[in-house]
């Protein structure tokens, strides 16, 4: 059973567009929500993260929007660039636990 | 710091063979993890460790074994390799932070093919 549901599976946007990747969860024990970025042939790397006590967090061109009541969160990439082409994973960390639960990933392609 | 290193980068095994995937971190992290990544399936946790001498099963532990005799090393053992174990394997580590934030640092991965 997938604890964190991620969509879409793949996404193609033009340079300058704003791709949006969505994630949803059911477990109310989750209290930390990171996003990881993975380039081909590399391991994932932390991109940005949020706690459920805020509705939005922005770092550079990357923004997480968080809707606690709907148990959904999303990643927005402003002014997307070809260098943003990568696979993005959302994840969730349960309070008091030892490990993350990952979404299935979204392969983003930004066309020049 | 080298961070998290994994060896080998690539390996082809025959069905029934065994091998050990090596993982080392030089950040003095307590927690270490092994994941496998299959296309369209995301990252599945195989085993993890919260410190030297302590390991626990993740979501998909069957066919694998681990040990953690030191803080730095967390090898993953495959016994009797099967085609279903063809995957990319990632090792990760994280510190034990007071705030509970979980920044995992990943190695570059090992691409394993079982034929």
């Amino acid at each position: 059973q997938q604890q964190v549901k991620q969509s879409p599976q793949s996404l193609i946007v033009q340079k300058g567009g704003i791709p949006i990747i969505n994630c949803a969860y059911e477990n109310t024990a989750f209290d930390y929500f990171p996003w990881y970025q993975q380039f081909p042939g590399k391991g994932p790397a932390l991109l940005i993260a949020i706690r459920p006590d805020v509705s939005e967090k922005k770092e550079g061109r990357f923004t997480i929007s968080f809707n606690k009541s709907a148990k959904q969160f999303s990643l927005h990439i402003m002014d997307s660039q070809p260098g943003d082409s990568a696979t993005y994973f959302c994840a969730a960390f349960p309070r008091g636990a030892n490990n993350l639960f990952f979404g299935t990933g979204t392969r983003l392609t930004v066309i020049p | 710091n080298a961070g998290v290193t994994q060896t080998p980068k690539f390996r082809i095994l025959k069905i029934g063979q065994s091998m050990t995937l090596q993982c080392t971190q030089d950040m003095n992290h307590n927690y270490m993890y092994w994941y496998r990544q299959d296309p369209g399936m995301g990252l599945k946790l195989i085993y993890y460790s919260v410190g030297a001498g302590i390991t626990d099963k993740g979501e998909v532990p069957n066919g694998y074994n681990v040990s953690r005799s030191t803080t730095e090393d967390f090898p993953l053992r495959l016994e009797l390799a099967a085609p279903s174990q063809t995957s990319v394997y990632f090792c990760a580590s994280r510190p034990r932070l007071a705030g509970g934030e979980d920044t995992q640092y990943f190695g570059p991965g090992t691409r394993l093919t079982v034929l």
Side-chain angles (χ1 to χ4, degrees):
Chain A
Q1 182 186 353
Q2 194 69 30
Q3 296 243 12
V4 181
K5 293 184 169 62
Q6 183 172 348
S7 63
Q9 192 171 3
S10 63
L11 191 53
I12 301 173
V13 300
Q14 296 276 359
K15 178 184 171 185
I18 306 174
I20 300 172
I21 303 170
N22 300 299
C23 288
Y25 65 97
E26 287 297 326
N27 188 347
T28 54
F30 289 148
D31 70 350
Y32 179 69
F33 300 88
W35 284 87
Y36 281 77
Q37 180 187 52
Q38 183 183 28
F39 292 107
K42 304 289 186 186
L46 181 68
L47 182 65
I48 185 173
I50 196 168
R51 287 205 174 274
D53 51 350
V54 298
S55 60
E56 186 177 278
K57 183 172 181 181
K58 185 181 285 192
E59 286 184 6
R61 294 183 294 107
F62 300 91
T63 299
I64 301 178
S65 298
F66 192 88
N67 186 330
K68 188 174 181 178
S69 60
K71 298 199 205 69
Q72 294 174 350
F73 58 109
S74 58
L75 177 70
H76 301 233
I77 306 175
M78 311 303 285
D79 187 26
S80 59
Q81 302 295 312
D84 297 329
S85 297
T87 298
Y88 292 82
F89 293 96
C90 61
F93 188 67
R95 194 179 314 115
N98 293 313
N99 54 279
L100 280 169
F101 291 89
F102 283 88
T104 49
T106 296
R107 175 177 262 180
L108 172 67
T109 303
V110 181
I111 299 170
Chain B
N1 286 351
V4 179
T5 56
Q6 291 182 239
T7 56
K9 282 187 166 48
F10 304 95
R11 184 73 185 268
I12 298 175
L13 281 182
K14 293 183 180 176
I15 294 172
Q17 286 185 319
S18 300
M19 77 164 293
T20 299
L21 281 65
Q22 301 291 346
C23 175
T24 300
Q25 53 93 6
D26 63 358
M27 297 173 283
N28 201 33
H29 288 171
N30 296 98
Y31 294 79
M32 294 188 75
Y33 304 84
W34 275 106
Y35 294 91
R36 58 178 288 170
Q37 183 177 30
D38 301 310
M41 300 297 289
L43 292 152
K44 299 288 188 186
L45 182 66
I46 304 171
Y47 271 95
Y48 68 96
S49 169
V50 301
I54 307 169
T55 63
D56 208 346
K57 295 178 181 178
E59 198 178 351
V60 290
N62 291 346
Y64 307 95
N65 275 302
V66 293
S67 59
R68 182 102 181 267
S69 56
T70 66
T71 299
E72 295 78 21
D73 299 305
F74 190 39
L76 178 72
R77 177 87 178 156
L78 278 72
E79 304 282 359
L80 298 174
S84 61
Q85 293 178 305
T86 294
S87 189
V88 181
Y89 292 84
F90 288 100
C91 179
S93 72
R94 77 169 174 97
R96 178 182 290 161
L97 295 178
E101 293 186 354
D102 183 68
T103 300
Q104 293 196 12
Y105 296 85
F106 284 80
T110 294
R111 185 175 293 274
L112 176 68
T113 303
V114 182
L115 299 173

